Amino acid sequence: MNIGSTVVRFLSIATLFTISLLLCNANLSAPCKQNERQALLKFKHDLEDPFNRLSSWAGEGDCRNWTGVVCDNLTGHVCELHLAGYESFSMYFSGKINPSLLNLTHLTYLDLSNNDFRGIQIPSFLGSLKSLRYLNLSHSMFGGLIPHQLENLTSLQVLDLGNSQYEDVYGEILSLLEVESLQWISGLSQLQHLDMSRANLSKASDWLRVTNTLPSLVENLDMSFCRLYHIPGGIANMTNLKFLNLQDNYISSTIPKWLYMLSHLQSLILSDNSFHGEISSSLGNLTSIVNLDLSSNQVAGNIPNSLGNLFTICSTDMSWNNLNGSVSEIFESFSRCSSGQIESLSLSSNNLSGHLTDKLDHFEKLRVLDLANNSISGPLPPSFGNLSCLETVSIDDNNLIGVVSQLHFTNLTRLVEFQASGNSLTLETTPHWLPPFQLSTLVLDSWHLEPSELPMWLQSQTQLETLSMFNTRISGTIMTWFWNFSSQLEYINLSENKLYGEVPHIFPSSDYQEIFLGSNQFNGSLPLVSSTVKTLDLSYSSFSGTLFHFFCNNNSEPKALESLHLDNNRLSGKIPDCFRNWKKLLAVNLDSNNLIGNIPRSLLFGLLTLPQILALTQ
Ligand SMILES: *[C@@H]1O[C@H](CO)[C@@H](O)[C@H](O)[C@H]1NC(C)=O
Ligand SMILES: *[C@@H]1O[C@H](CO)[C@@H](O)[C@H](O)[C@H]1NC(C)=O
Ligand SMILES: *[C@@H]1O[C@H](CO)[C@@H](O)[C@H](O)[C@H]1NC(C)=O
Ligand SMILES: *[C@@H]1O[C@H](CO)[C@@H](O)[C@H](O)[C@H]1NC(C)=O
Ligand SMILES: *[C@@H]1O[C@H](CO)[C@@H](O)[C@H](O)[C@H]1NC(C)=O
Ligand SMILES: *[C@@H]1O[C@H](CO)[C@@H](O)[C@H](O)[C@H]1NC(C)=O
Ligand SMILES: *[C@@H]1O[C@H](CO)[C@@H](O)[C@H](O)[C@H]1NC(C)=O
Ligand SMILES: *[C@@H]1O[C@H](CO)[C@@H](O)[C@H](O)[C@H]1NC(C)=O
Ligand SMILES: *[C@@H]1O[C@H](CO)[C@@H](O)[C@H](O)[C@H]1NC(C)=O
Ligand SMILES: *[C@@H]1O[C@H](CO)[C@@H](O)[C@H](O)[C@H]1NC(C)=O
Ligand SMILES: *[C@@H]1O[C@H](CO)[C@@H](O)[C@H](O)[C@H]1NC(C)=O
Ligand SMILES: *[C@@H]1O[C@H](CO)[C@@H](O)[C@H](O)[C@H]1NC(C)=O
């Protein structure tokens, strides 16, 4: 091994590398312009920068590699400023925008999004930054009138003024920006992407007439949460638009015809308005649509079967409307167009009828299925068990009947939420069934369980947070495993069953917040409440003994309990005076027991200031 030659080789590589770097630098660029550097320093001076993110903006250094500054490689002119805040670290710029920015005559890109400018106006001089192609002031707390001078930004392709908003003390989200008119937008002849979400546009009845004069608008038009009242017809020029969002305005009209002509549209969001009338069969002309959201309107009638032409649709939400017609026809249309494609289908809270198709296995990518609150009848078809991507299922409050067995869950390995109350379904499982899923939510209210006891397979559901089995006709005692099988349980409802025996010394390690065990046949003394429980209903059972044990035990721990229902049991003795640690109580019902004596002062003083009705008789 010749060490010398290795060193020489190493050196020569290093030298080459250095030379090429130098060459590269030399070749590359002019230094940044002196007056632009001064302008940046002035701009920085007026900006509040509590995290000192702009510490590199200093001294005599070359501004080409200052944080957030991008210069043209050849000319050295500052061409981009990337100064978005970091929301997740609450790292915001605030303060003022110095007009020295105007000296950056080659600026094409300005991003001041996600900052906190505390309601100051968008400076009207920004309208003189004539080279700008990208301007992002979204989520930055600019307020007041949007200056019409922006109309001079004739090269602008992207304008994002969305989400300048604040939350008032009641948690209501309010707009900061407003306009007298949107006429100025018609100057932006290169505009492709416009986001005005959350601006108060209630005075801009001209909004669509203006955007319609911009054939360049091919990318995105977001006017969600804008207080728009009116959507005009006869719009012709926006046919290349890809994303249109009009969520949460006050638009009350039928869906205008021109919307169905937007054949490049990939996402159409009209939710939370008052669109009414029927959906036109021209829906099938939206042949590029991927996401269609018409939820929370008053659209009525059938969903047209031209739906079957939407070959790229992935997600649709038409819940909370007045749609009727047959659910099997809707599934039929979907299986024609996008079998294997659709991932999310929400049709809840309409008036759909008919049976579920047994060809569900066409929907192999379905993750979300929400059909709750309709009039769907017939059985849950066994092919349901083939929907191996299903994560969330909601079929509550329909007229489904028949037996659901383990087969119906064969391949549902990803199922997390299953909500199916308010039907006439029977669940039949074998004693040693091991389900393929790990649920977080299971709602089986008013099902008939077979065998009619607490299912042993629940033991495998260690991630369960919500369990509701109200009125399922189950009987028997509750075995010890039941109180421990999931440490995540927050909500449990086993009311209106025929469970009996003692409830153990209570609910050990869980985060229980709401416990409903009323209308069973439990006996023995009352269980104790852990400090997380907010609602406890043990009414209409056969609990006996005194209240002393319940209220006065473990007195040092403050309780979260707000609502307590112990009425219609066989409790006896006095109400003890132990309410100092029960400060959150809003409602107590001890009606129809065998209690004697007075209501203690600590309970009265705690409760009488509150509006809830107290039933403490007998
Ligand atoms: C940089 O170098 C490339 C080739 O190495 C050359 O084509 C180009 O003109 C040079 N640019 C300048 C500004 O000198
Ligand atoms: C700026 O760039 C120069 C040369 O490219 C380099 O020497 C210097 O370290 C850089 N400064 C910073 C703060 O990155
Ligand atoms: C400038 O040069 C860098 C490094 O060579 C390159 O990544 C960048 O794209 C160039 N920028 C422009 C605007 O040409
Ligand atoms: C632009 O730069 C010139 C020269 O440095 C300076 O006199 C002028 O005040 C600057 N303009 C602004 C608006 O800062
Ligand atoms: C504007 O900035 C926000 C926040 O930084 C970002 O989420 C959004 O995508 C940007 N808008 C555009 C059109 O690039
Ligand atoms: C906008 O452009 C017009 C015409 O070119 C000009 O008169 C006006 O001063 C400009 N406004 C701003 C804010 O630059
Ligand atoms: C929106 O603007 C209108 C007209 O200026 C005004 O009457 C209304 O109060 C504003 N709404 C909100 C929530 O700011
Ligand atoms: C469509 O855009 C053109 C400009 O390209 C404009 O002249 C025309 O008036 C627009 N049509 C409508 C209905 O606004
Ligand atoms: C939808 O397409 C059909 C068939 O091409 C056509 O007859 C109909 O007019 C179109 N609807 C709209 C609203 O453009
Ligand atoms: C469906 O809704 C439409 C429009 O509201 C109505 O005319 C029709 O009678 C309804 N059909 C049924 C079967 O309820
Ligand atoms: C739902 O449709 C049925 C007929 O299928 C009709 O009798 C009922 O009135 C409708 N309900 C609503 C709320 O429209
Ligand atoms: C379940 O999935 C496996 C493979 O993922 C497949 O072989 C089987 O046919 C599926 N069973 C049902 C009932 O869909």
Side-chain angles (χ1 to χ4, degrees), residues 265-557:
L265 214 52
Q266 294 170 17
S267 176
L268 175 60
I269 303 177
L270 303 179
S271 52
D272 302 296
N273 280 285
S274 300
F275 283 102
H276 50 80
E278 301 202 2
I279 301 174
S280 157
S281 64
S282 294
L283 180 70
N285 298 16
L286 297 176
T287 47
S288 304
I289 203 88
V290 175
N291 172 41
L292 177 63
D293 188 348
L294 304 179
S295 62
S296 298
N297 281 288
Q298 286 137 38
V299 201
N302 280 296
I303 299 178
N305 56 18
S306 60
L307 189 67
N309 300 344
L310 308 183
F311 288 104
T312 50
I313 197 161
C314 242
S315 166
T316 187
D317 190 347
M318 300 197 187
S319 48
W320 297 98
N321 278 292
N322 301 325
L323 296 166
N324 60 21
S326 150
V327 71
S328 59
E329 278 173 30
I330 297 170
F331 273 87
E332 179 64 33
S333 302
F334 270 117
S335 67
R336 251 194 310 132
C337 70
S338 66
S339 50
Q341 182 94 31
I342 188 126
E343 292 174 17
S344 178
L345 177 56
S346 300
L347 298 169
S348 67
S349 301
N350 281 289
N351 197 10
L352 304 177
S353 53
H355 292 196
L356 285 170
T357 170
D358 195 26
K359 293 180 191 140
L360 282 176
D361 33 10
H362 286 306
F363 297 87
E364 54 191 30
K365 287 196 184 154
L366 201 61
R367 287 188 299 105
V368 177
L369 177 63
D370 186 358
L371 301 174
N373 198 13
N374 280 290
S375 307
I376 301 168
S377 54
L380 189 66
S383 57
F384 181 77
N386 299 349
L387 299 176
S388 57
C389 290
L390 267 187
E391 293 167 11
T392 303
V393 174
S394 181
I395 49 173
D396 306 275
D397 301 315
N398 279 289
N399 305 324
L400 297 166
I401 53 164
V403 173
V404 174
S405 72
Q406 292 161 213
L407 255 185
H408 288 84
F409 298 98
T410 311
N411 272 8
L412 304 193
T413 51
R414 302 189 197 169
L415 194 63
V416 174
E417 283 185 32
F418 186 72
Q419 309 202 46
S421 62
N423 289 289
S424 306
L425 291 165
T426 299
L427 181 63
E428 273 183 22
T429 52
T430 55
H432 299 295
W433 181 43
L434 194 62
F437 46 70
Q438 277 291 341
L439 298 178
S440 76
T441 300
L442 177 63
V443 180
L444 296 178
D445 298 348
S446 69
W447 281 54
H448 190 168
L449 296 198
E450 204 53 67
S452 52
E453 58 192 28
L454 268 179
M456 293 296 282
W457 59 263
L458 278 180
Q459 281 183 83
S460 66
Q461 301 302 299
T462 58
Q463 308 299 311
L464 210 58
E465 291 169 17
T466 296
L467 172 63
S468 195
M469 294 178 36
F470 174 89
N471 183 24
T472 52
R473 290 175 257 181
I474 49 175
S475 62
T477 57
I478 300 184
M479 280 154 289
T480 340
W481 64 260
F482 185 80
W483 305 110
N484 292 310
F485 74 96
S486 168
S487 59
Q488 321 279 318
L489 261 181
E490 290 180 1
Y491 178 101
I492 184 165
N493 191 339
L494 299 177
S495 298
E496 302 243 359
N497 283 298
K498 295 177 192 149
L499 299 166
Y500 56 83
E502 299 202 7
V503 175
H505 189 75
I506 206 147
F507 322 127
S509 55
S510 251
D511 295 329
Y512 283 114
Q513 294 186 2
E514 296 182 82
I515 302 173
F516 298 87
L517 300 177
S519 300
N520 278 290
Q521 291 146 25
F522 294 116
N523 56 24
S525 57
L526 293 171
L528 300 182
V529 189
S530 69
S531 57
T532 55
V533 177
K534 289 183 178 159
T535 303
L536 179 64
D537 184 350
L538 301 174
S539 61
Y540 290 92
S541 243
S542 301
F543 288 102
S544 57
T546 71
L547 291 173
F548 184 82
H549 170 67
F550 182 86
F551 281 116
C552 306
N553 192 296
N554 196 11
N555 233 347
S556 54
E557 209 180 352

Side-chain angles (χ1 to χ4, degrees), residues 84-85 109 111 113-114 134-139 158-160 193 195 220:
Y109 187 106
D111 183 359
S113 65
N114 251 334
Y134 179 100
L135 178 58
N136 193 343
L137 305 179
S138 72
H139 225 288
V158 175
L159 178 58
D160 191 344
H193 179 121
D195 188 340
N220 181 32

Side-chain angles (χ1 to χ4, degrees), residues 28 70-73 79:
L28 263 184
V70 174
C71 295
D72 187 293
N73 284 341
C79 55

